[in-house]
């Protein structure tokens, strides 16, 4: 590959760049079919996202039904995996489930272990210690399981790149079933493999997370072992709280089958049969919304960080896994409180390391590189991934954050931006790495510390080649323009029908032009604005989070502003009112 000249640097701002507003291409929203019953602005929004009134999938998108979940046997490898697990259950072979230490891996482990328990087994279960075992299937743990007499090893959310570790397991007398969703390496492990993201797999259900893949296998297994049982169907549906939690936490697209799993799983979360889920909701203060569901934001910003906290702060996620597997409400409450304290520690660690990482950013001369590689001795391995995400947001460039130790090793995480495949970048730099894995947006890696310089240069060169000439300012996709007269409860309720929002189905963003500022703009909290504004002859209250810097512009009554916004329901002191959340604004006069 021919790289641009070393001097061909991409512009970078060490503080968060101003966001660019990009209005989606507006397609005509026909007033027919499913569009006819929608609020006009919601119909325009859907048309701008590529839907048409005659699209056969639109009705299912608007009202996702559990009955539309695809038969698990459509996912390649499920039938063979289920046959082997069922044989182990029938023969009472000792078997083990091996997961991962993040929220997806923990939920995947809980799905598989609970399914096996339901079918009468008492499986061993293992999630790796972040420090002692590292990412993925650990040879140390494989040997331990073999010593305990395990004959069948089932991996969840991991294993697709564990060629040597699977071979070790086989040499020690174990058969292996790998269920995973990560990208494969150059060769596959010698195991029964279930992975919708294998090249050529073309699973019609979409891009499942690790717990989603585990659910497919569990669903098929329970159906095979308990055919026609209403109780078994209810049990399987009861696993959807874990699947929804994991799907949101792992930031996979909330489209196709994922949309169905999450839509119904968020309702299962609100009334979960699992004490650990109930305790996790309680300790974070998360409550169901008006539709009787837990919101994706409550999952992503409340539940998932607490589940991840044990593995991030102590390295050992055992407390989080126990929380998901216990049936004792008292024990669940104690574990949830412990995870809450760990999460507070995690936040403090992350803030301290982020300050040091920003100091390294500020030390870069001139415009900086096209991809940032930051490293230091003593950084906590458990939080470098979240720090990498914060750095990525700050500079709008791919970022790798590594913790180095006294043994000459560097381990860490990478995060990327729209338009750059970080896994592809690491693949190009593989000669400098000991191990890596992940996907286009995020990855983990390990290398010798003395290779940091050449790795930094190689990744920078690759990123420069692929990003040069691209529009790299942070971008906000705007769905459609709104007239002030269109802002009503019908719009709000129509937007809510598009839930759940997340990756692949983002919360709508509307543009309202020429909004008039009314007296009363004030700063609330530390960095927010409370506003009064007029649009289309109607007055609205509004909240603008993290936009206190715009206070002066909004303090001039009669001034005009273009705003990006969405609607929200305010229930202050029992009075229900419609208000706007202002996401960004620009004064126009």
């Amino acid at each position: 590959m021919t790289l641009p000249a070393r001097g061909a640097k991409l512009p970078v701002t060490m503080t968060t760049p101003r966001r660019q507003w990009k209005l989606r291409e507006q397609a005509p929203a026909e007033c027919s079919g499913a569009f006819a019953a929608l609020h006009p602005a919601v119909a325009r929004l859907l048309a701008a996202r590529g839907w048409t009134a005659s699209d056969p999938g639109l009705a299912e998108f608007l009202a996702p039904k559990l009955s539309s979940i695809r038969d698990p046997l459509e996912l390649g490898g499920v039938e063979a995996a289920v046959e082997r697990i069922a044989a182990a259950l029938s023969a009472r072979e000792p078997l083990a489930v091996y997961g991962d230490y993040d929220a997806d891996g923990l939920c995947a482990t809980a799905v598989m272990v609970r399914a096996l328990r339901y079918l009468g087994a008492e499986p061993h279960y293992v999630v790796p210690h972040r420090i002692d075992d590292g990412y993925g299937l650990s040879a140390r743990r494989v040997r331990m399981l073999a010593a305990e007499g395990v004959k069948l090893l089932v991996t969840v959310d991991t294993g697709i790149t564990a060629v040597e570790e699977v071979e070790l397991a086989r040499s020690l007398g174990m058969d292996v079933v790998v269920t995973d969703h990560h990208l494969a390496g150059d060769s596959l492990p010698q195991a029964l493999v279930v992975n919708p993201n294998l090249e050529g797999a073309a699973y019609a259900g979409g891009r499942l997370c690790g717990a989603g893949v585990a659910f497919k296998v569990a669903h098929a297994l329970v159906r095979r072992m308990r055919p026609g049982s209403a109780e078994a169907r209810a049990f399987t549906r009861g696993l959807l709280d874990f699947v929804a939690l994991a799907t949101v936490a792992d930031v996979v697209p909330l489209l196709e089958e994922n949309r169905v799993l999450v839509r119904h799983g968020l309702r299962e979360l609100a009334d979960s049969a699992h004490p650990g889920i109930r305790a996790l909701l309680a300790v974070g203060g998360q409550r169901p919304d008006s539709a009787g569901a837990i919101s994706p934001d409550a999952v992503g910003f409340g539940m998932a960080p607490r589940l991840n906290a044990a593995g991030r702060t102590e390295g050992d996620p055992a407390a989080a896994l126990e929380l998901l597997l216990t049936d004792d409400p008292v024990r669940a409450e104690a574990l949830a409180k412990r995870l809450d304290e760990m999460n507070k520690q995690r936040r403090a660690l992350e803030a301290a390391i982020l300050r040091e990482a920003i100091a390294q950013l500020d030390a870069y001369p001139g415009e900086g590189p096209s991809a940032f590689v930051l490293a230091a001795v003593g950084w906590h391995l458990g939080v470098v991934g979240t720090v990498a995400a914060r750095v990525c947001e700050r500079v709008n460039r791919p970022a790798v954050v590594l913790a180095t130790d006294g043994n000459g090793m560097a381990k860490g995480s990478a995060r990327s931006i729209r338009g750059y495949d970080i896994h592809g970048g690491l693949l190009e730099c593989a000669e400098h790495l000991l191990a890596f894995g992940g996907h286009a947006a995020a990855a983990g890696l390990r290398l010798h510390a003395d290779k940091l310089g050449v790795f930094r240069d190689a990744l920078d060169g690759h990123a420069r080649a692929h990003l040069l000439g691209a529009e790299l300012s942070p971008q906000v996709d705007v769905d459609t323009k709104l007239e002030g007269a269109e802002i009503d409860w019908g719009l709000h309720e129509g937007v809510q029908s598009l839930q759940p929002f997340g990756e692949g189905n983002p919360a709508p963003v509307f543009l309202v032009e020429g909004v008039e500022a009314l007296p009363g703009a004030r700063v609330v909290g530390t960095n927010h604005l409370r506003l009064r504004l007029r649009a289309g002859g109607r007055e609205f209250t509004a909240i603008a989070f993290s936009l206190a810097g715009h206070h002066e512009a909004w303090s001039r009554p009669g001034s005009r502003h273009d705003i990006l916004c969405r609607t929200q329901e305010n229930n202050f002191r029992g009075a229900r009112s419609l208000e706007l959340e202002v996401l960004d604004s620009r004064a126009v006069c």
Side-chain angles (χ1 to χ4, degrees):
M1 177 178 65
T2 302
L3 299 179
R6 291 293 300 172
K9 290 293 183 181
L10 298 165
V12 65
T13 306
M14 294 305 176
T15 56
T16 304
R18 181 172 178 170
R19 295 179 294 178
Q20 301 296 312
W21 299 0
K22 183 177 181 181
L23 183 65
R24 295 182 192 271
E25 184 175 344
Q26 300 296 289
E30 314 130 81
C31 190
S32 61
F35 278 6
L38 299 176
H39 187 285
V42 175
R44 294 200 306 272
L45 178 155
L46 290 170
R49 293 189 178 186
W51 293 99
T52 64
S54 59
D55 195 317
L58 181 58
E60 178 62 34
F61 178 82
L62 294 172
K65 299 179 180 63
L66 268 180
S67 58
S68 67
I69 290 179
R70 306 193 74 84
D71 189 315
L73 297 184
E74 291 182 27
L75 177 54
V78 166
E79 187 168 9
V82 165
E83 286 297 320
R84 181 62 187 90
I85 298 170
L89 292 174
S90 298
R92 298 188 178 276
E93 289 182 88
L95 71 168
V97 178
Y98 190 106
D100 190 21
Y101 43 60
D102 68 358
D104 185 18
L106 292 165
C107 289
T109 306
V111 165
M112 192 62 70
V113 169
R114 283 191 172 274
L116 292 171
R117 284 177 174 175
Y118 176 72
L119 296 172
E122 281 300 329
H124 300 261
Y125 50 87
V126 178
V127 284
H129 190 287
R130 185 185 289 266
I131 309 300
D132 296 344
D133 297 309
Y135 175 77
L137 188 58
S138 158
R140 181 177 78 95
R141 297 282 190 168
V142 167
R143 291 188 180 93
M144 290 171 62
L145 291 171
E148 293 169 358
V150 169
K151 297 300 180 186
L152 176 62
L153 174 61
V154 180
T155 76
V156 291
D157 192 38
T158 192
I160 196 63
T161 61
V163 175
E164 294 180 5
E165 291 79 7
V166 167
E167 185 55 38
L168 173 64
R170 286 163 50 85
S171 73
L172 294 173
M174 283 184 270
D175 287 343
V176 183
V177 172
V178 169
T179 78
D180 201 352
H181 71 122
H182 293 100
L183 298 176
D186 293 334
S187 58
L188 293 177
Q190 293 298 305
L192 297 173
V193 175
V194 182
N195 187 330
N197 291 320
L198 290 181
E199 186 175 351
Y203 176 59
R207 211 181 88 194
L208 299 169
C209 68
V213 179
F215 175 76
K216 285 292 176 182
V217 176
H219 181 190
L221 181 65
V222 170
R223 191 175 66 182
R224 184 189 188 284
M225 302 291 285
R226 301 281 190 273
S229 166
E231 179 195 79
R233 288 195 295 273
F235 168 81
T236 302
R237 178 170 179 156
L239 297 175
L240 289 178
D241 52 4
F242 297 123
V243 179
L245 199 169
T247 303
V248 172
D250 217 49
V251 201
V252 294
L254 299 189
L255 297 170
E256 300 175 300
E257 193 167 32
N258 281 337
R259 177 169 171 79
V260 181
L261 294 170
V262 173
R263 176 78 165 253
H264 293 274
L266 291 173
R267 291 173 182 164
E268 291 290 330
L269 272 172
D271 190 28
S272 178
H274 302 119
I277 294 291
R278 297 198 300 271
L280 198 58
L281 288 167
V283 78
Q286 280 90 30
R287 294 180 177 84
D289 60 21
S290 57
I294 299 299
S295 74
D297 281 352
V299 173
F301 298 109
M303 301 180 76
R306 288 175 172 85
L307 275 183
N308 285 328
R312 293 192 185 283
T313 57
E314 297 184 352
D316 187 356
L321 182 57
E322 184 184 353
L323 176 73
L324 298 182
L325 290 176
T326 186
D327 291 319
D328 180 352
V330 176
R331 179 60 177 159
E333 182 180 2
L335 288 165
K337 289 178 177 177
R338 182 179 167 195
L339 291 179
D340 188 50
E341 288 302 314
M342 290 181 186
N343 192 47
K344 292 173 183 175
Q345 296 171 26
R346 187 270 307 170
R347 291 170 65 184
L349 274 171
E350 182 183 309
I353 294 173
L354 181 58
R355 285 193 295 270
E356 295 181 22
I358 290 172
Q360 288 192 24
L361 289 177
D362 292 340
Y364 271 99
E367 294 174 334
S370 306
F372 286 85
V373 177
L374 310 176
V377 176
W379 283 356
H380 195 290
L381 189 60
V383 300
V384 292
T386 52
V387 171
R390 302 291 179 270
V391 171
C392 197
E393 291 169 5
R394 187 179 184 88
V395 298
N396 203 46
R397 295 291 180 275
V400 178
V401 178
L402 299 159
T404 60
D405 60 25
N407 299 316
M409 297 297 297
K411 299 178 184 178
S413 296
R415 297 293 185 272
S416 196
I417 61 174
R418 183 196 312 228
Y420 182 69
D421 180 348
I422 190 64
H423 184 270
L426 296 181
L427 190 62
E428 287 292 320
C429 303
E431 63 183 296
H432 309 303
L433 305 175
L434 293 172
F436 68 94
H439 48 76
L445 64 156
R446 178 166 54 91
L447 68 157
H448 290 297
D450 60 8
K451 295 285 188 180
L452 274 171
V454 291
F455 166 63
R456 181 182 286 116
D457 288 344
L459 186 64
D460 180 30
H462 184 269
R464 200 164 3 101
H466 286 76
L467 293 175
L468 194 66
E471 174 53 66
L472 291 171
S473 297
Q475 181 177 297
V476 181
D477 290 324
V478 182
D479 289 291
T480 192
K481 293 182 182 180
L482 279 182
E483 299 297 328
E486 292 181 304
I487 304 173
D488 56 21
W489 283 108
L491 171 67
H492 179 72
E493 289 161 4
V495 166
Q496 294 311 299
S497 72
L498 307 182
Q499 295 254 30
F501 299 128
E503 183 72 15
N505 183 42
V509 176
F510 297 109
L511 169 63
V512 186
E513 296 177 321
V515 171
E516 180 184 353
L518 299 176
R522 69 184 193 277
V523 177
V524 294
T526 57
N527 195 29
H528 315 310
L529 284 180
R530 175 59 72 178
L531 303 171
R532 292 178 58 240
L533 47 85
R534 182 183 289 119
R538 303 178 60 201
E539 294 186 9
F540 300 92
T541 60
I543 184 72
F545 294 110
S546 302
L547 291 180
H550 295 211
H551 179 249
E552 182 179 349
W554 280 100
S555 296
R556 300 191 303 272
S559 61
R560 297 281 179 173
H561 305 257
D562 293 343
I563 65 171
L564 300 186
C565 67
R566 58 177 64 110
T567 61
Q568 64 180 26
E569 182 177 329
N570 190 335
N571 285 293
F572 183 66
R573 293 180 178 174
R576 181 173 180 255
S577 64
L578 184 67
E579 70 174 21
L580 297 179
E581 180 187 353
V582 176
L583 309 170
D584 203 356
S585 68
R586 294 176 182 171
V588 292
C589 69

